Amino acid sequence: MGKAFPKTTIEGPTPATIREGVGMPIMSMTMIVEEEEGSKVDEEATPSLTAKKGKGSTYEVINVLRNLVEIVEMEESVSKKQNTGTEEDVISDLPGDILQHILSFLPVKCVVATSCLSKRWRYIWTKVQVVDFEDVLFYSPIGEEPERRKNFMNFVDKLLSFPIMLHKFSFSLHGEFDESLLQTWISTVIERKVQHLSLTICLFGQSFVFPSSLYGCGSLISLKLEMNNSNLEVPTLIFLPNLKTLHLSFITFPDDSSTQNLFSSCPVLEELIIDNCKCIDMKKLCISVTTLKRLTLDSPYDEREEKEMVGCVIKIYAANLISFRCRSYVSGDYDIGHLSSLVDAEINLLHNPLDKDRMEETGIVACKLLQFMSNVKVLKICNGTFKCLSYRKDLLRYLPTFHNLIHLEVNSKVIDTIQVLIDVLQVSPNLEHLVLTRGFCSYFDTGDDVCMLNTTRSCLFVHLKAAAFMNFEGYKTESYLLKFLLENARVLEKVAIECSNLSPKKMQRVMKLILMLPKLSESCVIEFF
């Protein structure tokens, strides 16, 4: 263990108003920071604190705190020398924007506490425009939550009374809170012209309605709303003129019209994420936004959600959509406009394999969804999607031709759906990259289906340049597919095979057999890892 820094007790922020409003229980904290063996923080290392935002990991936050303590020690040392007139204050050499950037990585409780470090730091925190409130950081062991929660509310109340400008504001609350007080806080933040707002409101046994000012905030660029599956009550009048990113999580949509009104009231919306939201008693979920570029539909793994989705039609009209990610139970139907600009898509359809009565319908709807993806360039097909497609009789007849598809990733263990994979390959004439991430299963390992490729070999793998077989175990089916690929891919450059699950002896045997396979492309390299 290296040398330890002196134990530093912070009694609260210097501004008397905050110290009085919050009280000692919430702002008293003890920081004990230990320096790694042989490490040293000097003046030349200080500029590294200007790392780009977004890296705010726990490790980096600890480093920031370590540097803050080091700065305090440096100032104390320099101050003593200043009294003799021999040294200048090195803290004054750090620009204010650098100090503010450092603080933007920390929870708000730590940010305000830095006002006690020195005179130089006293009001730096009031200029920080990135504020992150996490209520659980203020809570103590079981039994003290009510008092701590009260202190937290006092702290937020006092902090928002300061005229600080907010660029980014994150708020996370769990438990029981006064609804009117929460609405006041949110309204205050909106008045400060916040641009990026994240609100997680999980009130136990309480419903919550966001203030109407939220739905008319002209400064918002990104907005995330998360609730504990509570209804999202939205007003009739909504206008978010600059909102580009909207993220809705764990929210229940009460009806068709309110969600459609919300989406259509964002004239420049570019990204929409609907994450683990519920559509109860909804006949349709309509997303009609011409400016939309990225769309994510991520449903919860819940059988009740499947029943709700069966009666709901998903309508998407987004002519400029570039990226589409769908992880959801197969809905009652899909109605999607022409997606001529689509670049990448990820389709992960969920279904109940015990629902025998709906198998054929599931296959029809799943195939219909893929038809809307016909212009995609990068396609990732996951888990249950292949199983859903296998329910479609005469699948090849109904699949679209993916003329633009150059990269296909199959993120699903190929079990009894090898024929579905073959059908998809046959309608992908310009494919350049093929990735099979989860391998094959031995239960249906006959290789017979792969033999059918011989009848269509002239139109397969014409442009294939690279392929990857993950979790390769040498089963007949995957070996036949690999053999066929090597024999027919004229411009193939590389095949990567991951077989780490095999024993060393079996791996050597499999590698030897693969390297003996004939290759149409003389320049093809086979790599094992």
Side-chain angles (χ1 to χ4, degrees), residues 123-135:
Y123 298 109
I124 290 293
W125 69 273
T126 63
K127 298 180 181 180
V128 175
Q129 297 185 25
V130 178
V131 178
D132 182 8
F133 278 107
E134 182 72 33
D135 62 335

Side-chain angles (χ1 to χ4, degrees), residues 108-333:
V108 66
K109 184 177 180 181
C110 298
V111 172
V112 179
T114 59
S115 61
C116 296
L117 293 176
S118 68
K119 292 181 179 180
R120 174 71 174 86
W121 288 82
R122 180 167 294 179
Y123 298 109
I124 290 293
W125 69 273
T126 63
K127 298 180 181 180
V128 175
Q129 297 185 25
V130 178
V131 178
D132 182 8
F133 278 107
E134 182 72 33
D135 62 335
V136 295
L137 296 178
F138 293 81
Y139 294 169
S140 287
I142 297 175
E144 298 184 22
E145 285 92 342
E147 183 62 27
R148 289 292 181 177
R149 186 176 292 113
K150 180 180 179 181
N151 288 333
F152 170 76
M153 294 172 70
N154 289 336
F155 173 65
V156 176
D157 224 18
K158 289 293 183 180
L159 185 66
L160 291 179
S161 68
F162 279 79
I164 56 177
M165 296 303 297
L166 296 173
H167 173 73
K168 182 178 180 180
F169 187 89
S170 179
F171 205 50
S172 179
L173 292 177
H174 304 78
E176 298 178 359
F177 288 89
D178 183 280
E179 180 178 353
S180 62
L181 184 58
L182 297 186
Q183 291 179 331
T184 300
W185 290 346
I186 296 172
S187 297
T188 300
V189 171
I190 292 172
E191 291 173 359
R192 305 287 172 81
K193 306 299 182 183
V194 64
Q195 295 183 24
H196 304 277
L197 181 61
S198 175
L199 300 174
T200 299
I201 310 291
C202 298
L203 305 183
F204 303 153
Q206 294 178 255
S207 60
F208 181 75
V209 178
F210 292 101
S212 58
S213 58
L214 173 65
Y215 299 101
C217 183
S219 60
L220 274 180
I221 295 176
S222 68
L223 173 64
K224 179 181 178 180
L225 300 178
E226 179 176 341
M227 304 173 75
N228 55 338
N229 293 319
S230 299
N231 282 2
L232 180 64
E233 304 291 345
V234 298
T236 304
L237 297 177
I238 307 173
F239 187 53
L240 298 167
N242 295 303
L243 190 68
K244 293 185 177 181
T245 301
L246 177 60
H247 187 166
L248 303 176
S249 182
F250 291 96
I251 284 173
T252 298
F253 299 133
D255 54 65
D256 304 353
S257 59
S258 61
T259 53
Q260 184 176 352
N261 185 29
L262 174 60
F263 302 147
S264 61
S265 299
C266 306
V268 297
L269 189 65
E270 296 182 356
E271 181 173 14
L272 174 61
I273 301 172
I274 300 178
D275 172 25
N276 284 282
C277 295
K278 295 186 176 182
C279 304
I280 297 179
D281 298 327
M282 288 182 62
K283 300 301 180 182
K284 63 180 179 180
L285 174 62
C286 184
I287 301 170
S288 180
V289 185
T290 57
T291 57
L292 197 64
K293 295 181 179 179
R294 295 172 295 278
L295 174 62
T296 298
L297 301 178
D298 199 344
S299 297
Y301 285 104
D302 188 339
E303 290 184 3
R304 291 173 298 180
E305 178 65 16
E306 181 183 22
K307 294 179 181 178
E308 293 163 1
M309 290 302 297
V310 168
C312 182
V313 177
I314 295 180
K315 297 188 175 185
I316 301 173
Y317 305 109
N320 294 299
L321 196 67
I322 295 174
S323 177
F324 178 60
R325 179 178 181 270
C326 178
R327 191 207 70 150
S328 115
Y329 280 102
V330 179
S331 74
D333 198 2

Side-chain angles (χ1 to χ4, degrees), residues 337-340 342 345 367-379 399-405 427-429:
H338 187 53
L339 302 179
S340 59
L342 192 64
C367 187
K368 185 176 182 180
L369 177 59
L370 275 189
Q371 290 173 355
F372 292 117
M373 307 291 118
S374 61
N375 288 313
V376 71
K377 295 181 179 179
V378 178
L379 177 62
L399 281 175
T401 300
F402 297 99
H403 290 288
N404 299 327
L405 185 63
V427 295
S428 307

